[in-house]
């Protein structure tokens, strides 16, 4: 166990005054006393360790019982109390006795400076023009060449940069903890990331950082996993459980035999580590719960943060950097976490850097001060400048000596941060900014001239000299790292686990992810099976005659195309896991390339079974050659082709930084492998010059083309080498039919067989001859060439994935991106800056008329149960309370106690589970306008990423404030919110570029902009904010309450002053049990008296908010008292008073006249107003996404251009007629490509809509408006795409030579526009019906192949089965597209065969060609070129284009009917999208 919690292998203890090199290791804690404790504890090692193991086993046996009782309950009895110091000390002593080496890494940084791109005060402006994206795309090759040239040429000038971390120096020895403090933007995160060797994304990092004397370059190369950084955001795989997440981390970091105690196996080690981590962080009850995220229901926010903490602890890193890792934790849990870090740092000699923001808010909080005192060093930053580094006990006195007001009631950490904040700091009496260092530069200069700087320089120099001369720690560290590695792992590798071990661990994880996504699995298998049935039925039981020759190739092509296109869905999935990949590879859990092989291995069990079932159904239903060898050969090549395409699309997904760029590249190849597999366009008819252009343009294109060509070739060779075909029916000319009886029924000497490979005088054609004559294929290539080459391509694309992942898997850039200011925005920003300088706090946010109704919100007997595998689980139990107008109510409790759940239930945002109890307003049930009268600032920050801060808040104000309020008033109110939340400098920044803290402020601002009339809900609004921002926010909430607003707010880690700002408190313990509800009182008197009466006396110097949580057992410590606090509450007079008060509130409310419900509406604004605002926002969002818009244009343009090159300037031969039809056929491919791009965007927007508008209870706008707005925003781009496609199709191919003429080409444009609109609406419909992108993309191949198969081209109408003719053919929108376009193009088009297109037959002796064949021509069409000849009659199949399409059930006179039927499908899709958007709720909360 010990190894996992901080390299618990350290066998040495650090005693002050020792003559060993560890003399340089200092502590703020009394180490001598700790040593005495350690010695006493070690004597109890055997007994207590065994007891702990027994308790662990007993706990695991009752885990199921605990979960059945309550999903969020985790009690700790006195007997089973977990003592971390005792456990780690005993483990460390055991390691020492076993001879396991320690790892001590002190950190020295000198003149460390970090720069980012852009000059001082420069802004990164968004290039919103599509033209810029187009130029950027085509300039890529030129820029690559220029970049190479610049490497060879000396630079004339340096790129302008901005210093965000100025020269910083210091030293932190093993066993020490450093607290890094600063206001937002001070550079705390930059400092931690740089210390942790995370330098990507910065323009330049200068200065030296040494780790036990090892420089940063060597540390990155060989010991990357020993220096780690825990980011503020919690990034996990949402669909894995907590136990699976941590088990994977442990599986990659478990030390080898040299790093474990003798006799301890890997499984035993991992199990004990996992149990200890869960118990230490008090999340043992969450092991089988999904981690979850913003969109997947899982553990609570605080529990998710503890999962992040446990994951990094499992890395066993020696240098740890924690960036605001207490965000989202309650005060008690935060305190426990920091104490745990202190214990591990003390015992194992870790080197720990920590930033904390809200742990020390404002007025004195003794536990917060105690946390501060746990640190050995404190570093204070101000705008990237180091203004103090030294002992925590000396920091306050230093700043007081500079001339800052002492403020003794303010915590030291907050005081230090406040001294760097111009809005918060206070100067001592008689001092001012003129006499006190007050700018960052002046504070830095003052520090550099101080004794503390000289002490730091002296300490750094001594420790640096020690590292250079006494290299014991460094050598021991290197040796310990080597011993930790598994057998076979290179000593130079930064990984604990070898590559094969990494692949094994990742394969298990990826398999779990796929297996647990049951809906996706069920959908993929079902769609594949249904599609197999459809294709098999369409080509049912193909005959061994000339009629079945071409269709056998068709069914093989359809099967191959289906499985290969199914792999297209892999591309967007590669974009999803990149943040997790970056985090875990930074922990050195695995090489990036290992995930590529693991993905393939984990997917094989699922894809192999799915493709096998598909092939069985298609193969045997269609009547292909029935033998085991033939089938398994077919399946082998089909599945290998799938694996190759899967690797191909995954490579593109990994190469590109966004889906749009990957999609553009994929579209470059899709036409190639569809058209150039040899089926649609035989090799003998390919334009050779175009083939070479394609080859030189992209070698990957040739590889892909060759891959699919070989796969199709192998499958048809496998089939035709085993069969012979009989020439009959349509393959014989001239022949009987349509009343003719003059010709022989069997192939005679005066007839010809039109089938490839036919021999004179024989009606039997060998399949091998058919392939050789028609396609130029040799069946002997089946095994000697096709299989080996395909296996080679499979390995190639596995290799490309590995290479891409190793050398490019994304950067984590931290910059704000701004839009260009308009004149109005410039003026408003100037006003905000002026107001910021004046600091006027006398805002009036609500008029008396706005909040004059004074309605009270009450709830009684509130219970909430959710479904689980073990039956219903109770999350809330008999919760009572109320919120009156003009009051500010706090909802508090430990992490996982159900605070957010309670808030969700009260706000009516839960859509799963069962809620019971009464939730009333003035004693009456909630009306339909309840949601409109409330606002909910949720914990997760979900916004439209392309909007600016101002636009996001205006959007909320426009739609959520009544329509009677003028736009100018709404705009002015938004300016007040921007000023209040101190977002002036970010008002034009795009939301997606904001950091965590700014996004949190925006979330609050968006809700405040709505001016809720009834109630304002806020879920942990201060989480992630610095102390001053948190105080400003609570002060603002207090002002709102004083003006009549009712507010219910969950809050973590409040200081005494913040706590006293609230009027009432609802306190919950684990299990959703009420501990207290009532007034707080001045100086928290009423709350303190209540707890004191029941044995929990709060000392006068402690923060009551913190003490309450400790008293009820919120942390790892047991509760105060014997009885459960919920039982005490239920028997208390305070509870009886609450019940009585609720009854009084209801009686008073019911005594008033019931509000007039006639004017009640669900939304604050009208439908048309909503639609206008939403369409404006969608249009702006698309305009600011040039990659997306350009991809739409690129896809249609490239498809049209590429196909036109293949069919350039078509003539009037039979082959050209077929090519004209194939060119039109490509129009029906457009919807499939459009759908693939539309669906991810629609689903993301739907998630944001659901989170912000529906589940946040704001009812900001209608789901009908959402669906219509999404479509309207796409229409302009669809029109532009249609025009480009039409221009590049009609004129290069030479369309418009039939009777319809040029006017007919205009009609073709209309059909193309209708098809693009159909594709957009169909994609949005599929997305609206699908729960996720993974599921949506599964429908695309199904829809595309079914519609294209039964449109009358792939299977001609006469050959189609009666079942399909009866309903699917006429209902198919593609039927209408092809009928309208083909009839328009071919009507009246004169056809003249080329010499090689004639069918040659000899008439009987003494007869001319006219005498023998004219009757046949009169019945079946076409013409005989040499009517008077007596030998070698030349017959052409068609004389005019109408003869081609009339047998296909297509009529020129019905083309307009077909066009408007196609348009009706667009309307139908829109209606289904609207209904699905309204009724389907996939975001379960």
């Amino acid at each position: 166990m010990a190894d996992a919690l901080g390299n618990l292998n350290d066998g040495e203890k650090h005693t002050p005054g020792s003559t060993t090199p560890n003399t340089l290791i200092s502590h703020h804690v009394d180490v001598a006393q700790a040593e005495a404790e350690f010695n006493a504890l070690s004597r109890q090692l055997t007994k207590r360790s065994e007891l702990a193991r027994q308790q662990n086993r007993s706990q695991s046996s009752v885990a199921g019982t605990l979960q059945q009782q309550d999903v969020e309950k985790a009690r700790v009895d006195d007997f089973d109390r977990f003592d971390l110091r005792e456990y780690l000390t005993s483990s460390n002593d055991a390691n020492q006795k076993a001879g396991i080496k320690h790892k001590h890494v002190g950190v020295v940084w000198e003149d460390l400076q970090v720069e980012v791109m852009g000059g001082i005060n420069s802004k990164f402006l968004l290039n919103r023009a599509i033209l810029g994206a187009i130029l950027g795309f085509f300039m890529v090759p030129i820029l690559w060449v220029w970049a190479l040239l610049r490497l060879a040429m000396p630079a004339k000038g340096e790129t302008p940069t901005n210093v965000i971390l100025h020269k910083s120096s210091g030293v932190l020895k093993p066993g020490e903890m450093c607290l890094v403090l600063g206001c937002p933007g001070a550079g705390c995160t930059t400092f931690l990331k740089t210390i942790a060797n995370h330098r990507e994304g910065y323009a330049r990092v200068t200065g030296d950082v040494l780790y036990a004397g090892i420089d940063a370059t060597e540390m990155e190369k060989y010991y990357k996993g020993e220096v780690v950084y825990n980011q503020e955001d919690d990034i996990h795989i949402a669909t894995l459980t907590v136990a699976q997440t941590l088990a994977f981390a442990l599986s990659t970091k478990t030390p080898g035999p040299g790093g474990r105690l003798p006799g301890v196996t890997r499984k035993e080690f991992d199990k004990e580590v996992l149990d200890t981590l869960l118990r230490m962080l008090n999340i043992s009850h969450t092991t089988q719960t999904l981690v979850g995220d913003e969109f997947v229901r899982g553990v609570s926010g605080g529990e998710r943060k503890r999962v992040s903490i446990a994951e990094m602890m499992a890395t066993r890193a020696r240098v740890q950097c924690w960036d605001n890792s207490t965000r989202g934790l309650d005060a008690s849990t935060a305190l426990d976490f920091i104490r745990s870090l202190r214990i591990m740092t003390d015992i194992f000699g870790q080197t720990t850097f920590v930033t904390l923001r809200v742990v020390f808010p404002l007025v004195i909080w003794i536990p917060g001060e105690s946390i501060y005192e746990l640190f050995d060093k404190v570093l204070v930053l101000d705008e990237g400048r180091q203004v103090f580094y030294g002992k925590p006990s000396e920091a306050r006195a230093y700043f007081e000596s500079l001339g800052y007001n002492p403020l003794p009631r303010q915590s030291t950490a907050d005081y230090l941060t406040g001294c760097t904040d111009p809005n918060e700091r206070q100067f001592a009496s008689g001092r001012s900014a003129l006499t006190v260092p007050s700018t960052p530069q002046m504070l830095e200069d003052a520090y550099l001239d101080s004794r503390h700087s000289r002490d730091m320089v002296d300490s750094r120099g001594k420790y640096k000299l020690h590292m250079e001369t006494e290299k014991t720690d460094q050598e021991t560290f290197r040796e310990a790292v080597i011993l930790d590695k598994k057998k076979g792992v290179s000593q130079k590798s930064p990984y604990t686990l070898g590559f094969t071990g990494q692949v094994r661990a990742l394969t298990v994880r990826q398999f779990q992810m796929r297996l647990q996504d049951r809906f996706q699995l069920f959908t993929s298998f079902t769609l594949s099976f249904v599609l197999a049935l459809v294709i098999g039925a369409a080509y049912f039981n193909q005959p061994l005659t000339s009629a079945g020759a071409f269709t056998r190739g068709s069914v093989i092509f359809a099967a191959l195309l289906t499985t290969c296109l199914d792999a297209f869905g892999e591309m967007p999935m590669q974009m999803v896991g990149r943040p997790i990949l970056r985090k875990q590879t930074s922990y050195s859990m695995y090489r990036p390339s290992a995930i590529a092989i693991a993905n393939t291995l984990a997917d094989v069990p699922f894809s192999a079974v799915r493709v096998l079932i598909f092939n069985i159904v298609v193969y045997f239903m269609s009547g292909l050659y029935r033998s085991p060898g033939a089938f398994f050969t077919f399946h082998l090549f089909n599945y290998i082709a799938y694996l190759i395409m899967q690797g191909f699309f995954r490579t593109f997904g990994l190469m590109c930084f966004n889906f749009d760029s990957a999609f553009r590249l994929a579209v470059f190849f899709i036409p190639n492998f569809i058209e150039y597999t040899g089926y649609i366009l035989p090799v003998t008819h390919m334009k050779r010059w175009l083939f070479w252009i394609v080859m030189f343009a992209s070698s990957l294109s040739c590889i892909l083309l060759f891959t699919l060509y070989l796969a199709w070739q192998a499958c048809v060779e496998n089939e035709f080498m085993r069969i012979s075909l009989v020439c009959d029916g349509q393959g014989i000319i001239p022949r009987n039919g349509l009343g003719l009886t003059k010709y022989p029924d069997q192939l005679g000497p005066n007839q010809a067989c039109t089938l490839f490979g036919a021999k004179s005088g024989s009606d039997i054609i060998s399949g091998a001859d058919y392939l050789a004559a028609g396609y130029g294929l040799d069946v002997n290539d089946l095994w000697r060439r096709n299989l080996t080459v395909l296996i080679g391509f499979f390995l190639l694309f596995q290799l490309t994935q590995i290479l891409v992942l190793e050398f490019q898997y994304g950067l984590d850039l931290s910059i704000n991106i701004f839009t260009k200011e308009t004149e109005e925005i410039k003026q408003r920003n100037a006003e905000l800056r002026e107001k910021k300088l004046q600091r006027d706090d006398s805002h009036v946010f609500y008029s008396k008329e706005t909040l004059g109704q004074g309605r009270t919100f009450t709830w009684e007997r509130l219970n909430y149960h959710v479904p689980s595998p073990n039956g219903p689980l109770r999350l809330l139990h008999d919760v009572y309370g109320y919120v009156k107008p003009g009051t500010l109510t706090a909802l508090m409790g430990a992490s996982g106690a159900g605070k957010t759940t309670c808030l969700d239930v009260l706000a009516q945002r839960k859509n799963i589970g069962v809620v019971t109890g009464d939730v009333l307003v003035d004693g009456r049930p909630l009306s339909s306008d309840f949601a409109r009268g409330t606002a909910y600032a949720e914990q997760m920050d979900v916004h439209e990423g392309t909007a600016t801060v101002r636009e996001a808040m205006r959007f909320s104000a426009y739609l959520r404030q009544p329509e009677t309020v003028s736009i100018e008033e709404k705009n002015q109110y938004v300016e007040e919110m921007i000023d209040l939340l101190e977002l002036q400098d970010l008002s034009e920044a795009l939301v997606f570029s904001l950091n965590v803290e700014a996004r949190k402020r925006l979330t609050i601002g968006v809700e405040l902009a709505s001016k809720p009339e009834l109630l304002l809900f806020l879920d942990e609004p201060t989480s992630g904010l610095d102390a001053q921002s948190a105080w400003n926010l609570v002060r603002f909430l207090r002002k709102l309450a004083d003006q009549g607003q009712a507010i219910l707010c969950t809050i973590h880690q409040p200081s005494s002053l913040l706590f006293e700002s609230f009027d009432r408190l609802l306190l919950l313990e684990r299990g959703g049990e009420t501990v207290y509800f009532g007034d707080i009182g001045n100086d928290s008197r009423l709350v303190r008296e209540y707890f004191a009466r029941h044995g929990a006396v709060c000392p006068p110097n402690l923060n009551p908010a913190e003490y309450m949580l400790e008293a009820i057992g919120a942390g790892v410590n047991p509760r105060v008292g014997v009885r459960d606090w919920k039982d005490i509450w239920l028997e208390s007079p305070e509870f009886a008073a609450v019940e009585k008060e609720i009854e009084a509130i209801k009686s008073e409310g019911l005594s008033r006249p019931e509000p007039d419900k006639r004017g009640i509406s669900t939304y604050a604004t009208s439908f048309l107003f909503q639609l206008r605002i939403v369409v404006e926002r969608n249009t702006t969002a698309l305009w600011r996404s040039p990659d997306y818009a350009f991809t739409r244009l690129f896809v249609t343009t490239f498809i049209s251009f590429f196909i036109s090159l293949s069919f350039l300037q078509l003539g009037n031969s039979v082959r050209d007629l077929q090519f004209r039809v194939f060119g039109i056929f490509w129009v029906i491919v457009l919807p499939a490509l459009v759908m693939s791009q539309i669906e991810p965007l629609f689903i993301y927007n739907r998630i944001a809509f659901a989170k912000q508008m529906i589940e946040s209870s704001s009812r900001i706008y209608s789901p009908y408006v959402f669906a219509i707005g999404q479509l309207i925003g796409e229409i302009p781009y669809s029109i532009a795409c249609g025009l480009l496609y039409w221009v590049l199709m009609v004129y290069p191919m030479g369309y418009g030579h039939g009777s319809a003429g040029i006017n007919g080409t205009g009609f073709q444009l209309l059909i193309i526009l209708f098809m693009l609109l159909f594709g957009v609406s169909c994609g949005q419909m599929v997305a609206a019906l699908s729960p996720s992108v993974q599921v949506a993309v599964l429908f695309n191949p199904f829809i595309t192949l079914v519609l294209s198969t039964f449109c009358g081209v792939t299977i001609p109408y006469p050959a189609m089965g009666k079942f399909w003719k009866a309903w699917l053919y006429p209902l198919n929108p593609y039927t209408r597209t092809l009928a309208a376009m083909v009839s328009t193009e071919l009507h009246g088009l004169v056809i003249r065969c080329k010499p090689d297109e004639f069918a040659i037959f000899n008439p009987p002796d003494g007869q001319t060609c006219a005498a023998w064949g004219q009757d046949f021509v009169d019945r079946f069409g076409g013409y005989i070129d040499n009517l008077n000849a007596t030998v070698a009659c030349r017959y052409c199949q068609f004389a005019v284009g109408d003869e081609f399409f009339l047998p296909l059930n297509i009529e020129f006179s019905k083309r307009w009917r077909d066009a408007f039927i196609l348009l009706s499908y667009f309307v139908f899709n829109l209606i289904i999208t609207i209904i699905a958007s309204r009724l389907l709720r996939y975001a379960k909360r």
Side-chain angles (χ1 to χ4, degrees), residues 161 571 593 640 998 1011 1060 1177 1316 1320 1419:
T161 60
M571 191 168 63
S593 56
I640 289 178
K1011 275 191 176 181
E1060 291 173 14
R1177 187 181 73 156
L1316 285 169
V1320 170
R1419 299 291 197 285

Side-chain angles (χ1 to χ4, degrees), residues 138-202:
F138 290 105
M139 289 289 289
V140 165
I142 299 174
L143 294 176
W144 282 352
V145 173
W146 176 246
L148 293 174
L149 291 176
R150 287 198 63 184
L151 291 175
M153 296 186 302
K156 294 183 178 180
E158 294 187 356
T159 303
T161 60
N162 183 27
V163 179
I164 60 172
L165 182 66
H166 294 265
K167 291 183 177 181
S168 172
S169 301
V171 57
L172 195 67
K173 302 167 188 174
E176 290 185 337
M177 294 174 62
C178 175
L179 175 63
V180 184
L181 297 175
C183 294
C188 299
T189 295
T190 300
F191 174 79
L192 256 63
K193 291 176 74 173
T194 311
I195 289 294
N197 238 357
H198 288 206
R199 304 188 176 199
E200 65 276 4
Y202 299 120

